[in-house]
Amino acid sequence: MYVCNCFGITEAQVRQHAADGACTPRQIASASKAGTDCGSCVRRIQALLGRGACPRRDLLDQGEPAVALAPEVELPEAA
């Protein structure tokens, strides 16, 4: 079933992006453009994502700082 008619994005595609780590409608939009035209599908995307399906969101719900959720990166040496 189509979720986003503007870009032809299906429920299966949204679920796959969620399985790949997308936790928010904005992340789904970045991965597929769904929700970026008329916006009528954003609530459906939210419903498909649900609550508790994202480990990062679980950490935020537990009060962990967002910085703790950022991927590890090497910082350049100070000159």
Side-chain angles (χ1 to χ4, degrees):
M1 172 182 268
Y2 285 101
V3 173
C4 176
N5 290 321
C6 297
F7 293 104
I9 306 301
T10 65
E11 283 186 14
Q13 288 171 299
V14 170
R15 291 177 205 266
Q16 183 59 53
H17 289 304
D20 292 341
C23 299
T24 66
R26 184 168 289 180
Q27 291 172 336
I28 295 292
S30 292
S32 68
K33 293 188 181 181
T36 62
D37 194 26
C38 77
S40 67
C41 61
V42 173
R43 289 197 186 271
R44 180 69 182 136
I45 292 168
Q46 288 172 327
L48 287 170
L49 293 174
R51 292 291 293 168
C54 179
R56 292 174 41 165
R57 184 181 300 149
D58 289 342
L59 288 174
L60 284 174
D61 289 345
Q62 294 170 12
E64 294 290 327
V67 158
L69 305 177
E72 297 289 327
V73 294
E74 288 265 336
L75 296 176
E77 293 285 328

